[in-house]
Amino acid sequence: MKHHPSLFDARTLHNDTRLLFKLKLLLGTVCAYGGEVPLTNVELAKRLGTSSYRVSVLLQKLIHEEIVYYDEYGRLFFKQFVFVRDKEETEKDKLYAKNFVFFVSESFLSEDRNVQRFVLHYVGKELVYIPGNFRWGYISDLYGPLGLLNIRTRKEALKILKNASKYLKMKIHKENFQVLNVHQEWLDMGEVFSEGAELWVMKQLRKHRFCFEFLSRKAVWQVAKVMEDYYAKFGYEYATEIFDTALYNIQKNKMRSQAFFKMIYREDDEYIISDETNELDQISAYFRAVMEAAELNYAVQLSMDLDGINNKKQAAESGLFTSGQLSNVNQKLIQEANLQHQIVWDKLLRLNQCWLNRFRQSPDWFIQNFYRIKSLPAPILEIKQEIEKLLSKRKAEDMKWAL
């Protein structure tokens, strides 16, 4: 995950303390799929060198500003991120800001707040660090009631530009200025790269009782690659549920999963990578197969849940016309059953749509597992029709060749 350029908008940084801004940068660095932050408040506080109480107070402020939120399960999500796959994207809707180390250096944090805001705005929001990118600005746009910075005069603006030139290569003219780049000495300090995917996978492995102290970090990244692909194609909720189901299935059947354990419980330097063999790729291939199998198990479990809800609803409906307290209880049960039914139904509909997208790319897996898919309930309808069409087409072609 990458930082969204809006995080560095000078207009949003006016009231940020040092610690609050450092927390924003940290959240952008550790957030993972869907913006989920896989660290606890205690872990965030440890990284910031402060108390968990202080972090909780700052998070409440960010909730008020709609920068973070908690879901119904108590998971923390950071909104100002950009999901970028494999290589750096430069399309308009994929631009992201780099998190340079100098942003949290003592030298930079000791500068006047308006100098900090100006530098962050032009490095993070305007330049978004595309090679060769530059930006023009009008000095008059920096001050006054509608100015970018909370200053009143041109004299103050010129002083800020002068101090900001310590960090930025700029040309300052009578009415405007041009920001060209960041001075090399600050770039040489490096940048902070996202670790959200690794932290998220480790959190899930820990939840499913994997011995993560003995896990290869390279193996964790191979597992994260599969999750990244699912997230990119199917979204956070579906990918997360399938990922959890896959880990549960591995731990449930340890005899069958010994091969996977042998792959991941190794030292990083023990993997063989050559023209003939790539043991790291074998990890991702194995886990992808487990994820695909988990999709079927997930669908079957949802189908069983749907049957259970329907049975509960029918039992309640059979006693609906009895008088007194029993009738009221049954009405509540029916309402709850209807709500649960809709939740499960929607999940099956989403699974059907995800499968349709995959089927168009690679239908063979669905054909191999059609005997299980065709037993699934009504929401899984279109994918069954598509499989049947393809099977009929292949059968017709086989008959044609036979003649």
Side-chain angles (χ1 to χ4, degrees):
M1 304 301 155
K2 306 290 186 179
H3 293 78
H4 196 283
S6 62
L7 182 68
F8 297 89
D9 190 333
R11 295 174 180 84
T12 69
L13 300 174
H14 174 52
N15 295 316
D16 283 11
T17 62
R18 273 189 176 198
L19 188 59
L20 181 57
F21 178 66
K22 290 170 73 173
L23 175 60
K24 285 182 179 180
L25 287 179
L26 178 58
L27 291 173
T29 300
V30 302
C31 76
Y33 313 105
E36 183 182 349
V37 178
L39 296 181
T40 65
N41 285 13
V42 173
E43 291 168 326
L44 290 171
K46 186 176 181 180
R47 291 193 176 214
L48 291 171
T50 188
S51 66
S52 57
Y53 171 77
R54 184 61 181 151
V55 168
S56 297
V57 171
L58 294 176
L59 287 174
Q60 288 303 313
K61 176 177 171 57
L62 295 181
I63 289 173
H64 178 72
E65 295 174 0
E66 298 184 345
I67 293 174
V68 303
Y69 69 94
Y70 287 94
D71 70 0
E72 64 271 26
Y73 303 106
R75 295 177 297 198
L76 178 64
F77 288 81
F78 182 68
K79 289 185 176 182
Q80 293 184 326
F81 75 96
V82 179
F83 174 60
V84 180
R85 296 192 67 192
D86 300 329
K87 60 181 181 179
E88 298 177 357
E89 302 281 355
T90 55
E91 290 83 357
K92 187 175 181 180
D93 61 342
K94 291 289 187 179
L95 296 178
Y96 65 89
K98 291 187 177 182
N99 179 8
F100 290 106
V101 172
F102 85 87
F103 289 161
V104 291
S105 67
E106 285 300 316
S107 173
F108 183 69
L109 291 177
S110 64
E111 295 285 354
D112 176 83
R113 183 168 294 173
N114 279 312
V115 174
Q116 295 174 17
R117 291 170 62 206
F118 179 86
V119 172
L120 292 168
H121 185 87
Y122 274 90
V123 174
K125 185 175 188 298
E126 297 294 337
L127 289 178
V128 289
Y129 235 73
I130 300 172
N133 198 13
F134 65 88
R135 283 293 185 270
W136 283 99
Y138 286 92
I139 296 174
S140 59
D141 289 340
L142 299 179
Y143 60 91
L146 301 177
L148 182 68
L149 308 174
N150 57 318
I151 54 178
R152 295 176 295 174
T153 66
R154 174 184 171 86
K155 182 178 180 180
E156 291 176 286
L158 290 172
K159 182 179 178 181
I160 288 168
L161 289 173
K162 179 181 178 181
N163 291 337
S165 66
K166 174 181 177 181
Y167 304 94
L168 304 176
K169 295 178 182 178
M170 292 194 295
K171 294 180 180 179
I172 303 173
H173 303 281
K174 184 177 180 180
E175 300 296 335
N176 50 35
F177 58 89
Q178 185 183 30
V179 180
L180 299 170
N181 209 328
V182 178
H183 288 301
Q184 193 61 42
E185 62 180 292
W186 303 108
L187 294 178
D188 288 343
M189 293 178 69
E191 58 184 283
V192 180
F193 296 99
S194 172
E195 53 181 313
E198 181 179 9
L199 290 171
W200 189 91
V201 170
M202 292 295 283
K203 176 186 175 183
Q204 302 303 108
L205 291 170
R206 188 183 299 114
K207 183 174 75 174
H208 288 275
R209 302 185 64 81
F210 280 76
C211 299
F212 66 93
E213 290 89 351
F214 302 100
L215 282 171
S216 161
R217 188 181 180 190
K218 289 182 178 179
V220 171
W221 276 108
Q222 293 301 116
V223 172
K225 281 170 56 178
V226 180
M227 175 58 190
E228 179 181 274
D229 186 52
Y230 266 74
Y231 171 69
K233 292 178 179 176
F234 310 123
Y236 170 81
E237 186 175 354
Y238 181 79
T240 300
E241 289 178 334
I242 299 303
F243 190 91
D244 272 349
T245 304
L247 293 182
Y248 172 78
N249 290 342
I250 288 174
Q251 289 290 46
K252 183 180 178 181
N253 193 332
K254 295 183 180 180
M255 288 294 292
R256 191 177 61 186
S257 302
Q258 282 302 313
F260 184 64
F261 294 148
K262 289 178 181 179
M263 291 178 186
I264 62 175
Y265 290 122
R266 297 168 66 174
E267 296 295 332
D268 284 348
D269 58 2
E270 292 180 0
Y271 291 102
I272 299 173
I273 301 176
S274 65
D275 294 337
E276 295 78 22
T277 303
N278 189 325
E279 292 184 334
L280 290 176
D281 285 347
Q282 291 174 8
I283 296 173
S284 56
Y286 184 98
F287 192 72
R288 184 177 296 279
V290 175
M291 288 277 279
E292 290 176 349
E295 289 185 81
L296 268 177
N297 293 337
Y298 175 66
V300 170
Q301 184 59 54
L302 287 177
S303 302
M304 293 170 62
D305 292 344
L306 202 62
D307 288 339
I309 293 168
N310 288 334
N311 291 336
K312 182 172 70 172
K313 183 179 176 181
Q314 290 173 5
E317 287 174 340
S318 65
L320 188 58
F321 298 104
T322 59
S323 60
Q325 188 176 359
L326 181 60
S327 179
N328 293 331
V329 170
N330 286 339
Q331 286 179 348
K332 291 181 180 179
L333 287 173
I334 292 170
Q335 291 174 355
E336 292 175 1
N338 285 335
L339 180 60
Q340 294 170 355
H341 184 278
Q342 190 61 49
I343 292 172
V344 175
W345 192 271
D346 289 343
K347 287 183 177 181
L348 285 167
L349 284 175
R350 187 176 66 251
L351 186 144
N352 179 70
Q353 189 58 49
C354 293
W355 277 359
L356 281 173
N357 294 335
R358 266 185 50 205
F359 178 80
R360 297 182 184 110
Q361 300 173 9
S362 179
D364 289 342
W365 180 85
F366 295 93
I367 292 173
Q368 293 169 8
N369 293 281
F370 185 48
Y371 71 98
R372 294 182 67 187
I373 294 174
K374 66 182 179 182
S375 66
L376 298 174
I380 309 296
L381 176 62
E382 293 174 278
I383 186 66
K384 288 190 277 190
Q385 293 174 338
E386 292 296 319
I387 297 172
E388 287 171 350
K389 286 179 185 177
L390 182 60
L391 288 173
S392 297
K393 182 180 177 181
R394 289 186 176 182
K395 184 178 180 180
E397 290 176 351
D398 290 344
M399 292 179 64
K400 178 181 177 181
W401 284 108
L403 294 174

